[in-house]
Amino acid sequence: MTGSSQTSPANLGTVRVLLTGGAGYIGSHVALVLLERGDDVIVVDDFSNSSAEALRRVEQLTGKTVQVVEVDLADRAAADAALTDLEFDSVIHFAGLKAVGESVAQPSRYYRNNLMSTLNLLDIMREKDVRKFVFSSSATVYGTPAPGVARLDESQPIGRGVTNPYGWTKAMIEQIVTDVQRSWPELEAVLLRYFNPVGAHPSGQIGEDPSGVPNNLMPFVSQVAVGRREKVAVFGDQYDTPDGTGVRDYIHVMDLAEGHVAALRHLEPGVEAFNLGSGEGHSVLDVVRAYSEASGREIPYEIVAARAGDLATLIADPAKANERLDWRTTRSLAEACRDSWTWQSQNPNGFAGA
Ligand code: UD1
């Protein structure tokens, strides 16, 4: 099957998909959606920031088996040894380090890990003539948008005013994929620019399980709700937004996962970027309130200084994905909070408690 294109863009048959970083937060949800479709899933992960327990639960939920390969893709010899004899027809590349603050402190580690793993993966794909590639990018590639631009579409420039090495690795990988495709016209690549993924599978069996203190808002709020942390620090209330706190486009991780299936269906020779977002903005205080309602718990918070590098507002214009991928978000912030709470309350210590 390797390299053959058995599916027309409009109709995705079953596929055999390699998910790098497939044991992580987004990867595990995508694995679940693919397995439920009847696809075969191979997960490649180094488990440096993810848990094998997530995949066991995906198997339980779906009644299907996930093939797991433990390897660090940044190590070329190890990646060759692990992937050369594996059969797959498409790749979704999630694997990468993703903590913004850590990337500022350890830039070489971030560049080495995120760039080397992608270069190795693309080389191996070319050697195997595997042409279908979906990359887990981020709205962070838009950097600091020009004044007055709040809803971002894909025509916005990327890499301008990116404030940290993590964000640069995403922008650089987008460029690498673009250049590799130029030299290899058969490559079919999609770059998915995620806005703010939140929530969990409604079963509460899998969800976001950050190690250490969560950097992102919703996992922090959920840990306050469950009593692991005392209060939410709200980073600034003097932004030019309705309530003064930062506004983001939160997207339910199940909507995001379905966006990956839509992207696989769309693949055609070339490189195309798509925003995956809802097109709606919610403030930090909106999230705190919505989570409090979903959990039935009071969520104490305190306004503190703004975080360096944060923007007032970042909202997707998802029109291109709506039209060309025939995909849109269907789940609300309230549902994301409800599902996050189901996960968090059933697994107060994440997968570690399992
Ligand atoms: C962050 C990253 C982005 C990354 C994304 C992954 C930065 C500057 N950007 O986006 O590169 O792709 O996560 O999901 O780190 N907030 C608080 N208190 C907290 C945490 C966050 O008030 O404890 C606020 C932030 O100021 C922001 C909003 O909540 O207004 C969302 O923050 P966060 O979840 O960290 O996402 P982003 O900063 O949008």
Side-chain angles (χ1 to χ4, degrees), residues 111-128:
Y111 286 117
R112 191 177 298 114
N113 183 84
N114 291 5
L115 300 186
M116 291 307 295
S117 58
T118 307
L119 292 165
N120 290 339
L121 184 62
L122 288 166
D123 281 354
I124 292 169
M125 286 177 64
R126 183 150 196 190
E127 278 159 21
K128 294 172 73 74

Side-chain angles (χ1 to χ4, degrees), residues 98 100-101 138-140 163-164 166-167 194-197 214-220 232-236 239 245-248 250 284 307-312 314:
K98 60 170 190 181
V100 172
S138 166
T140 198
T163 54
N164 60 80
Y166 158 77
Y194 310 155
F195 280 67
N196 290 60
N215 298 303
N216 298 115
L217 179 63
M218 193 168 293
F220 200 102
V232 178
V234 176
F235 298 150
Y239 287 110
T245 66
V247 168
R248 295 291 181 277
Y250 295 94
V284 177
R307 180 170 66 181
D310 272 359
L311 300 166
L314 198 63

